[in-house]
Amino acid sequence: MLSREGSYGFPSAGPSTLKYSHGHSDSGSGGFQGGSVDSLARARPSVYSGTPGPPLGDQEEDDDDYFDSESDDPDPDRFVNFSLLSHLAVRLRDKVPRGTHVKSSIPYPRAFTGKDIVSTIQSQIQRELLINHGVSTTDRRAALQVARSLQQQLFFYEVEWGQKLLQDGVEDVYMFLDDLEGNSEAHREREELPTAVITSLTRCYASSCSEDDPCYSFACPRRQASRVVDLGPVAEPEVHHASHRSHWLSTVDPGILHTLPESEVHRQTIIYKTITQEEQYVQDLDTVEALFIRPLLKASPPVMPPNKLDEFVEEVFGNILDLRECNRRLVEAMYVRQREQAPIIQRIGDVFLEAAREFRFAYPTYVGHLPLAEKRFKDEIESNADLRLFLEECSRQSKQQESRRLDLKHFLSRPSEHLQKYPIALEAIMKETTEGNPDAYYLAEAIEAIRNLQNVAQLRTFQTAMGKGPTGKWEWHDIVAKDVRESLSKAEAKRQSIIFELIKGEMSYVRDLENIELMYVQALREIDPPVIARERLNGFITDVFHNFAELHSHHRKLLDQLHDIQREEHPVIRSITAPMFDAALNFRDAYMEYIPNYPIAAYRIDDEMANNIDFKAFVDQCIRHPDAHRLDMKSFINRPIPRLLRYELLLKGIMDETPASHEDREAIPQVLEIIKALGKETEPGVQSAKQKVQLWCYNSNLQFKPNESVDMDLLNENRSLIHAGKLLRQPDTGFEWNGWTELFVLLFDNYLVMTKTKEKDGLTKYNVNRRPIPLDLLTLASFTDPPTQRSTSILRLGLGGGNRHVEGGPSPGGGAPDTANDSRLVYPCTIHYNGRLGGLYTLFTESQQARADWKQKLDEAIGLRKVVQESNKVFELEPLSTDTFLVPSISSAAVPSWNHENSLTGKVTCSVPFTTADGRALVAIGCAEGVWIGFRHDSRSMRRVLHLKMVTQCAMLEDFGMFLVLADKALFAYHIEALVPSSPQSAHTSQTPQRVNGTRDVHFFSVGNQGGRTLVIYMKKKGLDSVFRVLEPVVEKINERSKAPASFTSRFGIRPARSEWFRLYREFFLPSESFDLVFLKAKIAILCTKGFEIMDLTDFKSVTIPLRDDGYERLAKRGESCRPMGMFRVENEFLLCYDEFGIYVNKHGAPSRNTGTIEWEGTAERVAIHWPYILLFDSRFIEVRHVSTGLLAQIISGNEIRCIWDGRGTCAPPSTGPESFHQMSLDPRIHCVMAAPEPVQHGAVGRPRSVAQHVFELTPTMPLYPPGAPGAPGAPGSPDNSAYFQQQPVSPPQSPNLLPMTSWR
């Protein structure tokens, strides 16, 4: 490693260490040249030069001034070559720490130890070794070799001039010759420095070589910077400390030994034996690193994955290397004491007292973690065969190195055992210490400090266990000494025990929160194959575990604070109120969010376990986990709720045992107030969540009869259950020997549902007994009828169908009478369902109070429903005409047709809005006595423009200025300028109308666009066939001026000639009765008795839907008994509307949804669409449903309601597709007419009574959403407020859709 030219003629450190290079000396540039050290001379002109210098003291002052100035140098090492021994000698001379060291009771000023020398050299060369040679900064072998070379060249000397080789330790003391005080040559400057080349630190000799551009040589150090230099082993001479010898007696002069009392001999023997044991202990800790840790980290192949390996080493070995450093310092301190006081050590207690102070930061941590380390080690050994083989090999190597074969488990427990031996050894020393020896005081203090250290370690063991294992079950009296317990009063001991219980409970609580993450959250994410579908997993975890991680963060912080207090004040803790108060304030929001979510979480778990076998097996496996304590998942997520209650009990217990003068008397009530307030503030949220879960349970357990399911939107977040309980119904047959029927009735905020309960396997199912009644169609008929006896005869006439009652709770009440002899009174409740399948229902309660409660709840629900519907209605009625169109009252006699005398217009049948060329917004309304046209929303502007009888249909072709009217089965075409001229001089004012068909046989017509053409298709009957003529307007003929003046007959459409305004485009027939024709995108749909005939006008190919093939017989049979009313496209499906139901089909006509049919509440006499809603017109109400879901959105009640315009019959037909699925046009597209609520007396007395017909347009509204609801204006992700956006049903993620799976197959 070193090569040099000897300066003093002393032997070198050894042939393996120094290589002599005669004729060369080191130079500042790193080359080998003769002469002095030029670079060093340039750097230090006044030191070691050949010229006389000032006295040493002045020189040292100059040196100080020099280095002060040098401190400003940005790179003080730029003139230093670390491969030259002379340069390192100067650095050592300047930087080694000097002090007064004692050896053999003699103090030596300005001295230093071998460890000081090696550390100083290491500090100088470690950067060079690391950067250029890849040697670790903790490897001190190179520094030790340099120090020994300097020792061989007498650069420094051992104070007792011993011949021992320098060691990296504190046993020997060294000085520089120049530092001898009183020496006559003290001021002499050294003429020469030690010289040698440190080969392991040399750099490349090539002048062109640089750090950025290494030279060509393969051996260039710069080129091989990554090459790790092998320094080789350092020759270690056999060093015998006195403590290593078999007995202390053999090291002491017999003359001195005879003067010592026997107790002192025993004392010294024990001291030296203690030092020997300490050396062996440090050696064992060295073995742990050398034999286990390093080989484990460098094992190839590795015994476990790298990320797991680092965690394993950290968890198993902990801070054992920190312990080694502490005990090394203790051994060094004992070596120093040996060196200072040998052969008789006067004091040793102060050394151990200082060591105990250092141990306090390391040993409790290690000993406290030891049980967990041993458990982790055991678990890994049992599951990892590679680790077992590796450790077995390590044990064999330990036997080769030592006579004993030790395994890793022995080494892991070594620190704990060694710590327990200290008090025993120190007590033995103190026992032999003579009275008056000051060391007795230090020994006593050291014993007390180490025992306290053991107590702290025991406390750490308890804290680290976190409630696991035997140590986790300790109570306060188990870790507190008996004398301490006896010194406390009974109240204080109980107070400390309760405080300890609170901390122990907090540890268990935090561990359970951590187990939620480990046992469930991580396991669910990592298990393969997944037990919950990946797309549902995140939603499930969020619903079930919610913000438990936030709770864990708060309580982990609280626990850390409690542990700190416990470590500082154990065994008597003054107060824990401050951290509890802080935690109560901080975790309030987290609990306010977590606790109300618990009912939802519990429901999601139960539901998933009921429907997912894999998940149930996963939960069962987790229950068997050792840390689960046989608790299931719901028990874990419920842990936070009772924990708050436990705080209250424990804090009250602490306060009860606290002295009156203690500050906790005032502080604890404040904490209790916060926790109690938290419990109260979460109650509304919990109740809301419970009600939501109750709704989900009902949604899951409601069972409908086949093909009778109703989607009541129970999963909507705004849904609520208002009342539930038991009601009684008389037998439908009137015979009572089977007893009355007990019903369980559910009153939601939108439906009243009558069910029969059935329990199976502990689960209650609710079989729907009658069709659910929308509250919009529910009225209370009578709740005041007198009570009746339940049994007065064998035969009794029932008052109505469907009778049930709900009272008391979610399960049927007990004690329901089921015999004909029960004569208890029952109280009738009569309600009326205004739907197609409705009528009067009489149900019975068992008490007057129950009937009053039901009436109150029904009134409340109906009123609430009206308010909600009014605030969130989809359409509202805007009047177009209220006093123009009159019909005779039913009570009046028949009256003549319309004339100026009676003003009766007859029944309103049709309407169409249009805009004239000059921008007038008008509306045409047809009725039995003609056609009226006027301004929209201005009844007084209505004027009769056509005196036609029996008008049934009208349409407006604005692009052609043409108005079509079907009257008395004749189709007429009028130029709109002839009816409402924009000016008297208009070219078409006198235009003659044309009759489109030849005979009076037109049943209906339809206007639409297809293939870029505007078409008019009308249907006429020919026997049992339906004949369709497809006409196309001729623009040139329509705009052509009339050649002859219009006659009286032509004015009213009696012109015999065939219409010139249309040409025949297609003609076809259908062998079936037809009711309507709808234009699709590329085809037409004919509504006929067979269903929906889809036809292509180009080739007349057609297909009938829905399918009537095998498997769809039930649907076909149902369709034959109902009349088709409309067909609407919904994305990739079609909604087929009949007068009683609707069904979704695919493009092939097969049912596309397994929910079966959608049963209308009424009987649809007409169906219209205003995207995204369909409107079904019953004579009593308008039923508004969402076209994509079929959900009931609104019911508009009225009297004799009819649809007179469904959006068709204009050049811009309404959208019937999903291109604007999320946006609703705010332009009215539907007109309706209804009779006035009350007949009015028209004219003078004696005149016929008449009833006004109010004509309305259905105008879309902007519903009022609950703040923050999805789709609400301003809500995240909601579209712009300028357009209408449908409120989508909100349901919990992955909540089960348990509607009956009905299929027509």
Side-chain angles (χ1 to χ4, degrees):
M1 175 180 173
L2 304 178
S3 63
R4 73 171 182 85
E5 180 178 349
S7 302
Y8 300 100
F10 287 90
S12 66
S16 65
T17 305
L18 301 178
K19 296 181 180 179
Y20 295 94
S21 176
H22 295 282
H24 295 84
S25 64
D26 54 350
S27 68
S29 62
F32 298 91
Q33 299 178 358
S36 63
V37 186
D38 297 336
S39 63
L40 200 59
R42 286 193 296 270
R44 299 281 304 277
S46 63
V47 180
Y48 304 133
S49 62
T51 58
L56 184 59
D58 297 339
Q59 177 181 312
E60 290 178 352
E61 292 178 2
D62 292 342
D63 291 347
D64 294 340
D65 294 340
Y66 169 77
F67 279 106
D68 288 342
S69 64
E70 189 184 39
S71 63
D72 297 333
D73 193 339
D75 184 14
D77 294 336
R78 69 181 184 274
F79 297 118
V80 178
N81 188 336
F82 292 104
S83 64
L84 301 181
L85 187 62
S86 59
H87 286 213
L88 287 176
V90 174
R91 280 300 181 97
L92 176 64
R93 174 69 175 75
D94 292 340
K95 295 185 178 294
V96 68
R98 297 173 176 83
T100 300
H101 291 269
V102 179
K103 188 171 185 183
S104 300
S105 301
I106 302 175
Y108 295 93
R110 298 183 62 79
F112 41 88
T113 65
K115 185 176 182 180
D116 294 335
I117 297 171
V118 176
S119 297
T120 301
I121 296 173
Q122 175 71 5
S123 68
Q124 299 300 307
I125 67 173
Q126 62 182 0
R127 184 173 181 273
E128 184 76 11
L129 286 171
L130 177 64
I131 295 176
N132 297 316
H133 304 283
V135 178
S136 170
T137 57
T138 61
D139 192 338
R140 296 162 66 91
R141 289 178 294 171
L144 180 59
Q145 289 178 347
V146 172
R148 288 176 177 174
S149 178
L150 292 173
Q151 180 193 24
Q152 293 297 328
Q153 299 190 42
L154 289 183
F155 187 61
F156 47 80
Y157 69 98
E158 205 277 327
V159 293
E160 292 183 348
W161 292 93
Q163 296 300 317
K164 293 185 296 185
L165 198 60
L166 184 142
Q167 298 297 315
D168 186 7
V170 297
E171 298 89 336
D172 297 314
V173 179
Y174 298 88
M175 294 183 65
F176 290 112
L177 289 173
D178 298 348
D179 290 341
L180 282 176
E181 294 183 3
N183 193 323
S184 59
E185 296 181 354
H187 304 297
R188 180 180 61 83
E189 295 186 2
R190 301 196 59 163
E191 296 179 357
E192 295 186 30
L193 291 171
T195 57
V197 175
I198 308 169
T199 56
S200 62
L201 297 179
T202 55
R203 298 185 181 183
C204 183
Y205 58 82
S207 59
S208 61
C209 183
S210 64
E211 297 286 351
D212 299 330
D213 186 19
C215 68
Y216 62 88
S217 174
F218 176 77
C220 175
R222 292 192 177 100
R223 183 175 293 278
Q224 298 191 15
S226 61
R227 175 174 57 89
V228 178
V229 176
D230 184 11
L231 299 175
V234 179
E236 294 290 347
E238 185 178 357
V239 180
H240 294 282
H241 298 293
S243 59
H244 287 173
R245 298 184 181 179
S246 59
H247 200 278
W248 169 76
L249 297 177
S250 60
T251 65
V252 183
D253 188 332
I256 299 176
L257 194 60
H258 289 306
T259 63
L260 297 176
E262 185 177 356
S263 60
E264 186 62 34
V265 173
H266 291 167
R267 183 175 185 273
Q268 295 299 320
T269 302
I270 297 171
I271 290 174
Y272 276 77
K273 185 177 180 181
T274 301
I275 296 175
T276 303
Q277 292 174 344
E278 197 66 24
E279 290 173 336
Q280 180 62 50
Y281 173 58
V282 173
Q283 184 180 344
D284 287 348
L285 297 184
D286 288 336
T287 303
V288 172
E289 181 184 27
L291 200 60
F292 295 102
I293 297 179
R294 287 182 181 175
L296 191 60
L297 294 173
K298 297 179 180 179
S300 182
V303 297
M304 60 186 75
N307 58 338
K308 186 179 177 182
L309 179 60
D310 293 338
E311 178 190 353
F312 174 79
V313 171
E314 178 68 24
E315 192 166 347
V316 172
F317 295 99
N319 65 330
I320 195 170
L321 299 183
D322 294 337
L323 304 186
R324 183 184 62 177
E325 295 306 313
C326 291
N327 285 89
R328 276 181 176 175
R329 287 192 287 271
L330 173 59
V331 172
E332 288 179 358
M334 290 192 290
Y335 285 167
V336 171
R337 186 55 52 87
Q338 276 186 297
R339 185 192 70 203
E340 293 174 345
Q341 301 180 359
I344 309 299
I345 297 178
Q346 301 296 326
R347 295 192 318 276
I348 196 67
D350 57 334
V351 174
F352 280 96
L353 185 59
E354 179 64 22
R357 187 185 64 82
E358 286 196 38
F359 287 173
R360 184 175 181 83
F361 301 100
Y363 269 90
T365 301
Y366 181 87
V367 176
H369 183 71
L370 183 60
L372 296 183
E374 291 177 338
K375 183 179 184 303
R376 174 62 193 277
F377 176 69
K378 178 183 177 182
D379 294 343
E380 193 67 33
I381 284 291
E382 291 175 352
S383 61
N384 191 333
D386 293 336
L387 181 61
R388 288 199 300 271
L389 294 175
F390 172 82
L391 294 177
E392 183 65 27
E393 179 63 26
C394 291
S395 297
R396 285 196 293 268
Q397 292 180 13
S398 69
K399 188 174 182 181
Q400 294 173 4
Q401 297 176 8
E402 301 184 27
S403 58
R404 52 179 182 165
R405 178 176 178 177
L406 301 176
D407 58 6
L408 180 56
K409 186 176 181 180
H410 165 81
F411 285 110
L412 293 178
S413 60
R414 187 84 163 85
S416 178
E417 296 172 357
H418 192 71
L419 183 64
Q420 296 174 8
K421 293 179 180 178
Y422 282 128
I424 299 174
L426 294 179
E427 285 178 348
I429 296 173
M430 187 170 68
K431 184 178 179 181
E432 302 296 338
T433 302
T434 59
E435 186 176 354
N437 189 335
D439 196 32
Y441 169 77
Y442 289 107
L443 286 170
E445 290 294 322
I447 292 170
E448 182 66 22
I450 293 179
R451 281 180 174 166
N452 288 337
L453 194 63
Q454 289 178 328
N455 293 336
V456 174
Q458 190 179 30
L459 181 63
R460 280 276 193 170
T461 303
F462 166 76
Q463 293 179 347
T464 308
M466 293 292 287
K468 295 171 64 176
T471 58
K473 305 297 186 292
W474 286 344
E475 298 295 340
W476 178 76
H477 60 268
D478 293 322
I479 58 174
V480 177
K482 183 178 180 181
D483 56 338
V484 175
R485 297 199 306 267
E486 292 176 349
S487 66
L488 299 176
S489 65
K490 186 176 180 180
E492 183 61 30
K494 186 176 180 180
R495 180 175 180 271
Q496 293 300 322
S497 181
I498 299 174
I499 291 175
F500 187 88
E501 183 182 354
L502 189 148
I503 298 174
K504 181 180 176 181
E506 191 69 14
M507 292 163 57
S508 177
Y509 177 46
V510 170
R511 183 169 57 85
D512 284 346
L513 293 178
E514 292 170 352
N515 285 335
I516 290 177
E517 175 70 25
L518 296 175
M519 293 166 50
Y520 291 106
V521 178
Q522 286 185 10
L524 283 173
R525 294 187 187 279
E526 295 172 1
I527 191 171
D528 191 24
V531 297
I532 297 177
R534 297 293 184 195
E535 61 272 14
R536 294 199 302 117
L537 181 58
N538 287 334
F540 178 83
I541 289 176
T542 300
D543 284 349
V544 172
F545 304 106
H546 210 53
N547 64 328
F548 88 96
E550 190 177 354
L551 296 183
H552 174 260
S553 175
H554 288 299
H555 286 278
R556 180 76 253 188
K557 179 181 177 182
L558 170 61
L559 181 60
D560 290 341
Q561 292 174 337
L562 294 176
H563 277 174
D564 290 341
I565 293 174
Q566 200 174 28
R567 286 192 290 268
E568 291 175 5
E569 302 182 12
H570 180 77
V572 179
I573 296 175
R574 176 167 180 78
S575 174
I576 58 168
T577 309
M580 285 299 304
F581 189 84
D582 182 63
L585 291 174
N586 290 329
F587 63 47
R588 177 187 175 279
D589 292 341
Y591 275 96
M592 287 291 293
E593 184 177 350
Y594 184 90
I595 293 178
N597 185 72
Y598 173 74
I600 297 173
Y603 169 81
R604 293 302 309 276
I605 293 172
D606 291 338
D607 178 68
E608 195 68 32
M609 291 186 69
N611 297 282
N612 187 338
I613 298 176
D614 293 336
F615 177 77
K616 187 177 186 304
F618 168 81
V619 173
D620 292 340
Q621 181 182 356
C622 291
I623 293 174
R624 294 191 292 270
H625 192 282
D627 292 338
H629 307 297
R630 306 298 299 174
L631 299 177
D632 59 5
M633 183 185 289
K634 285 205 297 185
S635 298
F636 273 95
I637 63 172
N638 184 55
R639 272 292 262 132
I641 300 174
R643 184 59 188 165
L644 292 178
L645 301 177
R646 189 65 179 161
Y647 284 141
E648 290 189 41
L649 294 176
L650 292 172
L651 290 173
K652 286 179 180 177
I654 294 173
M655 186 172 65
D656 292 341
E657 305 301 331
T658 301
S661 59
H662 199 287
E663 63 268 18
D664 277 358
R665 280 288 187 175
E666 296 181 1
I668 290 180
Q670 299 177 16
V671 182
L672 289 174
E673 183 179 352
I674 295 175
I675 295 176
K676 289 179 179 178
L678 176 59
K680 293 180 180 179
E681 290 170 1
T682 56
E683 286 178 3
V686 171
Q687 293 302 320
S688 176
K690 285 182 176 179
Q691 189 178 69
K692 183 180 295 186
V693 168
Q694 191 178 31
L695 283 170
W696 295 348
C697 291
Y698 284 133
N699 182 77
S700 301
N701 296 316
L702 282 173
Q703 303 291 318
F704 288 88
K705 296 177 182 178
N707 311 316
E708 293 185 7
S709 64
V710 176
D711 187 352
M712 295 180 288
D713 196 22
L714 296 184
L715 300 181
N716 191 312
E717 68 172 6
N718 298 319
R719 197 90 300 124
S720 63
L721 177 69
I722 295 177
H723 194 51
K726 181 181 70 174
L727 288 176
L728 302 175
R729 177 176 61 85
Q730 287 180 305
D732 294 333
T733 61
F735 293 94
E736 297 191 350
W737 51 69
N738 289 329
W740 287 38
T741 302
E742 182 179 291
L743 300 180
F744 189 75
V745 183
L746 302 166
L747 177 58
F748 300 106
D749 66 331
N750 59 344
Y751 277 91
L752 178 70
V753 188
M754 293 177 277
T755 71
K756 285 183 179 180
T757 57
K758 183 179 181 180
E759 291 195 13
K760 183 179 181 181
D761 299 331
L763 185 65
T764 302
K765 293 292 184 181
Y766 302 89
N767 297 315
V768 179
N769 182 258
R770 291 288 188 272
R771 178 178 175 83
I773 304 174
L775 297 189
D776 310 83
L777 301 177
L778 178 67
T779 55
L780 306 186
S782 174
F783 276 70
T784 58
D785 293 339
T788 182
Q789 295 288 339
R790 286 190 54 178
S791 176
T792 57
S793 64
I794 296 297
L795 180 64
R796 180 184 178 89
L797 182 63
L799 296 179
N803 301 305
R804 304 197 173 190
H805 172 66
V806 179
E807 181 178 34
S811 62
D818 54 7
T819 66
N821 297 324
D822 194 328
S823 59
R824 284 178 294 175
L825 291 176
V826 289
Y827 298 80
C829 310
T830 305
I831 59 176
H832 183 261
Y833 171 27
N834 197 31
R836 170 170 55 90
L837 302 176
L840 285 174
Y841 290 87
T842 301
L843 308 175
F844 296 86
T845 66
E846 294 180 329
S847 68
Q848 177 69 25
Q849 182 61 43
R851 180 167 71 172
D853 291 343
W854 270 106
K855 185 178 187 305
Q856 176 191 350
K857 294 297 183 180
L858 285 167
D859 285 334
E860 175 187 333
I862 295 172
L864 178 63
R865 180 67 178 174
K866 289 180 179 178
V867 171
V868 172
Q869 289 296 87
E870 181 66 24
S871 301
N872 295 277
K873 57 187 177 185
V874 183
F875 296 97
E876 61 182 357
L877 300 178
E878 290 288 341
L880 293 174
S881 174
T882 56
D883 54 7
T884 302
F885 304 100
L886 306 174
V887 293
S889 172
I890 297 177
S891 60
S892 65
V895 295
S897 62
W898 181 89
N899 56 52
H900 293 289
E901 296 289 332
N902 56 47
S903 300
L904 296 178
T905 62
K907 182 179 180 180
V908 175
T909 57
C910 59
S911 68
V912 63
F914 62 93
T915 303
T916 61
D918 58 350
R920 290 173 294 169
L922 305 177
V923 60
I925 300 176
C927 55
E929 297 295 334
V931 176
W932 274 255
I933 296 180
F935 292 104
R936 300 177 197 173
H937 310 293
D938 185 0
S939 296
R940 296 182 180 181
S941 66
M942 286 292 172
R943 297 292 183 270
R944 185 179 186 183
V945 295
L946 288 177
H947 294 260
L948 297 175
K949 298 289 185 179
M950 300 175 63
V951 175
T952 57
Q953 197 175 350
C954 62
M956 179 69 194
L957 303 181
E958 290 186 13
D959 292 345
F960 303 92
M962 186 185 299
F963 184 71
L964 301 176
V965 179
L966 177 61
D968 196 16
K969 297 187 178 181
L971 182 59
F972 301 97
Y974 296 86
H975 203 289
I976 194 62
E977 285 290 326
L979 302 180
V980 282
S982 55
S983 66
Q985 293 77 28
S986 175
H988 303 284
T989 301
S990 59
Q991 191 85 14
T992 303
Q994 296 195 5
R995 185 168 180 165
V996 178
N997 65 313
T999 59
R1000 293 180 179 273
D1001 54 4
V1002 177
H1003 288 257
F1004 65 84
F1005 72 93
S1006 185
V1007 177
N1009 294 280
Q1010 200 165 92
R1013 300 172 182 267
T1014 298
L1015 302 178
V1016 177
I1017 304 178
Y1018 68 84
M1019 188 278 288
K1020 61 182 181 179
K1021 296 280 292 186
K1022 188 175 183 181
L1024 297 177
D1025 297 339
S1026 299
V1027 179
F1028 293 87
R1029 292 178 62 86
V1030 184
L1031 308 178
E1032 183 179 10
V1034 181
V1035 180
E1036 297 80 8
K1037 295 294 184 179
I1038 296 172
N1039 295 328
E1040 187 179 76
R1041 281 182 174 271
S1042 178
K1043 296 179 180 179
S1047 65
F1048 177 80
T1049 57
S1050 65
R1051 174 67 176 169
F1052 293 97
I1054 315 176
R1055 186 174 180 177
R1058 183 174 294 277
S1059 172
E1060 299 176 351
W1061 292 355
F1062 295 90
R1063 62 168 173 262
L1064 183 64
Y1065 176 66
R1066 291 282 193 275
E1067 187 171 9
F1068 62 92
F1069 77 96
L1070 194 68
S1072 174
E1073 182 181 2
S1074 302
F1075 311 111
D1076 200 355
L1077 184 146
V1078 178
F1079 281 85
L1080 303 177
K1081 187 174 182 180
K1083 300 179 181 181
I1084 61 172
I1086 302 171
L1087 282 59
C1088 58
T1089 54
K1090 296 191 299 181
F1092 299 82
E1093 192 80 13
I1094 312 300
M1095 180 177 290
D1096 191 335
L1097 287 178
T1098 58
D1099 53 11
F1100 299 118
K1101 291 182 178 180
S1102 64
V1103 62
T1104 303
I1105 62 172
L1107 295 179
R1108 295 169 176 260
D1109 302 341
D1110 294 342
Y1112 301 107
E1113 296 86 353
R1114 184 185 301 172
L1115 175 60
K1117 185 176 180 180
R1118 181 80 189 279
E1120 290 174 357
S1121 63
C1122 298
R1123 177 172 176 171
M1125 303 301 297
M1127 177 178 179
F1128 308 103
R1129 185 183 183 91
V1130 185
E1131 294 187 343
N1132 297 322
E1133 300 175 298
F1134 289 95
L1135 174 60
L1136 306 183
C1137 295
Y1138 291 84
D1139 57 351
E1140 293 184 359
F1141 69 94
I1143 187 169
Y1144 294 95
V1145 298
N1146 56 26
K1147 62 181 180 180
H1148 303 295
S1152 57
R1153 302 188 185 184
N1154 56 13
T1155 53
T1157 59
I1158 305 171
E1159 297 293 329
W1160 312 140
E1161 294 297 333
T1163 300
E1165 298 174 355
R1166 188 89 177 263
V1167 179
I1169 186 169
H1170 188 136
W1171 191 266
Y1173 294 96
I1174 56 170
L1175 294 89
L1176 304 114
F1177 288 83
D1178 185 280
S1179 61
R1180 298 160 297 176
F1181 53 83
I1182 304 171
E1183 200 172 330
V1184 182
R1185 292 181 178 268
H1186 200 283
V1187 71
S1188 63
T1189 63
L1191 287 177
L1192 186 63
Q1194 183 184 5
I1195 287 181
I1196 303 172
S1197 299
N1199 185 30
E1200 298 182 21
I1201 301 176
R1202 298 187 310 280
C1203 176
I1204 57 177
W1205 178 56
D1206 61 1
R1208 295 182 293 166
T1210 65
C1211 290
S1215 170
T1216 59
E1219 61 273 4
S1220 57
F1221 183 77
H1222 294 292
Q1223 184 170 349
M1224 181 179 183
S1225 171
L1226 294 178
D1227 297 327
R1229 292 185 175 179
I1230 299 172
H1231 293 173
C1232 70
V1233 62
M1234 65 177 68
E1238 295 290 340
V1240 296
Q1241 181 68 35
H1242 181 78
V1245 178
R1247 294 289 183 92
R1249 294 171 59 87
S1250 61
V1251 177
Q1253 300 175 91
H1254 295 179
V1255 180
F1256 299 95
E1257 63 181 7
L1258 278 77
T1259 304
T1261 64
M1262 180 73 75
L1264 300 177
Y1265 294 95
S1278 67
D1280 183 67
N1281 294 347
S1282 60
Y1284 173 91
F1285 296 93
Q1286 161 60 8
Q1287 181 180 11
Q1288 298 297 325
V1290 181
S1291 58
Q1294 285 76 49
S1295 289
N1297 185 3
L1298 293 175
L1299 292 174
M1301 298 303 186
T1302 305
S1303 173
W1304 290 105
R1305 294 186 181 277

